[in-house]
Amino acid sequence: MATFSGRSPNAHCAAAIGSRAHGRCAILVDNGGIFPFVDISELTYDTWRRVLSVNLDSQFLMTQAVLPVRF
């Protein structure tokens, strides 16, 4: 199942849908990420926050959301 999980409700919704469809979660492949192809001097703070949201927050939120349905 593919989802953008950079927001807590999305992550919890994805975990709930997955557990209803497949039961417990044995493996989480959290392989999303983005990279802006711009020079660091041209990188805006909003773009930087988006990168962190997608690359870091989504990993944390999906892991946290899946823990209750893991076992």
Side-chain angles (χ1 to χ4, degrees), residues 21-32:
H22 304 288
R24 74 180 187 90
C25 177
I27 298 171
L28 172 63
V29 178
D30 208 352
N31 194 31

Side-chain angles (χ1 to χ4, degrees), residues 35-64:
F35 181 78
F37 291 98
V38 297
D39 188 80
I40 190 75
S41 65
E42 298 173 13
L43 187 65
T44 66
Y45 184 71
D46 288 338
T47 301
W48 174 247
R49 295 305 312 158
R50 172 93 170 125
V51 169
L52 291 180
S53 175
V54 172
N55 295 357
L56 297 177
D57 295 346
S58 64
Q59 310 295 313
F60 168 77
L61 292 170
M62 277 306 298
T63 301
Q64 190 177 51

